[in-house]
Amino acid sequence: MTTAPETTDPLAQKGKPRPIKAGVDDLVEVRMTVNGTPAVLSLPARVTLADALRDHLGLTGTHVGCEHGVCGMCTVLVDGQAARACLLFAVQLDGADIVTVEGLGRPDDLHPLQEAFGRNHALQCGFCTPGFLMSSYDLLSTKPEVTEDELPEELSGVICRCTGYRNILTAVRETHEAHPDGIPAPGNCAHRALVGRATGQGGGSTDGREAGEDTAAEGTRRIDIVLPDGDPTIAVDIETEIGVPVDAVWRVFDDVHLLARCLPGAELTEDLGEDHYGGRARVSVGPIKLSFKGVAHVVAHDRAGQRLRVLAQGQDTGGAQTQADIVLRTEATATGTAMRAEAKVYLTGRIAQFGRALAGDVSRRMFEQFADALREAATSGQAPSGPVKAPSALKLLFAPLIDRIRTALRRGRRTAR
């Protein structure tokens, strides 16, 4: 048996040290709030906060450099104060409030510090940037009276490996001058799902019955999918005509295994009970190939109201994560069925590098493939004759371009008339 280290600052300030005795492989439950999201983790006592954030919650913005608390790359805020994530064990932080660089600002609404770093070319290679941003935020929020002459010493706790101090100091000074009475609070702290790379653990809520219910060899667990607040990365609203009666379409919707066979690149692997399902999905765009493992929850299956709603969440081994709220509506028409798909898609990790326009085009192409497969399944009552493969990179990349060229040509013809 080993004993976790005694709690030290900043937890000691809470006056609630939590002695823990655990074996090397024993898991200890830790509850903390990370960037506004309650997270429940089961971790060995030896796991540092930095590793818990990166590997178990997918927050890889916190970088690990020296692992001795010297370089400052792993600086985060713990209960409002800067702390070295590599020097803290996660089990020490039960009940703590953590803010990482991901919580500082949104991609479409950066924090003033982030804007100043970009404007002054203070990002350098980027490795030290999260530590500098969090240390600078801590400095300007706790010591707004800091002078320009004091900045070099105050920021000396973070080491820039590119020696870009001059631009970094300029960025911090500009932010200080723009907000002399205190800088704005972190702007990206909200309730969202957190899913990391290590064991499929995540933040968000799980009901008590599901704890430890690893139902298959791959260990997928049924979880409550908690979608982020705020605007989705992609919003899709597509309508298409399917030339089969609406009852035939719903016979496919009634059979979740058959429905899954119509989804491009998807595979249903587990029935987790109570309308929860585990599965995999593969997508590739250009050089990026993603293989997601995740869960889906059918939250509404209303044949009378002709409405099917599914929440889905998946992650790949590289830390990319996607969540989606998908609603399918059907309506009988003179020629068959009008099907409308509304989807809100949230992306994090490398998949978020896609531009919104490209990601939207990819989603539409996948919906068109799904509609074609659904038509075949509804007509035959059988699964599509061949697997509905993941969209190919070339098709996904060039089909939207061809569509846009066709649209431009049509507009040109109308103008010429």
Side-chain angles (χ1 to χ4, degrees), residues 15-191:
K16 299 178 180 178
R18 189 178 67 143
I20 293 174
K21 291 184 178 180
V24 173
D25 297 322
D26 291 347
L27 299 179
V28 180
E29 184 175 282
V30 183
R31 295 174 181 268
M32 59 180 75
T33 300
V34 182
N35 297 334
T37 300
V40 183
L41 300 171
S42 293
L43 304 168
R46 64 177 181 275
V47 173
T48 66
L49 174 60
D51 289 340
L53 293 171
R54 291 177 56 84
D55 295 337
H56 296 266
L57 295 177
L59 298 172
T60 54
T62 299
H63 292 170
V64 179
C66 66
E67 298 188 78
H68 287 78
V70 175
C71 72
M73 307 298 166
C74 61
T75 302
V76 298
L77 302 181
V78 178
D79 292 330
Q81 296 189 11
R84 300 289 205 249
C86 74
L87 295 184
L88 293 170
F89 290 101
V91 296
Q92 294 177 266
L93 303 176
D94 196 36
D97 184 81
I98 314 295
V99 177
T100 71
V101 70
E102 287 92 344
L104 199 56
R106 296 170 44 181
D108 58 349
D109 186 17
L110 295 176
H111 189 275
L113 265 172
Q114 294 171 308
E115 292 180 337
F117 269 61
R119 186 168 56 249
N120 290 282
H121 307 291
L123 301 172
Q124 297 294 314
C125 77
F127 192 80
C128 71
T129 305
F132 262 115
L133 286 169
M134 301 312 291
S135 292
S136 301
Y137 176 85
D138 177 69
L139 172 64
L140 297 185
S141 59
T142 60
K143 191 178 180 180
E145 71 279 7
V146 65
T147 67
E148 181 177 352
D149 292 338
E150 293 174 327
L151 285 179
E153 181 178 355
E154 293 287 352
L155 294 175
S156 62
V158 182
I159 299 173
C160 171
R161 297 181 175 185
C162 306
T163 65
Y165 286 103
R166 184 178 299 279
N167 293 349
I168 292 170
L169 293 174
T170 300
V172 177
R173 176 178 55 77
E174 282 190 4
T175 308
H176 184 225
E177 291 173 350
H179 303 278
D181 298 325
I183 58 176
N188 194 30
C189 291
H191 200 165

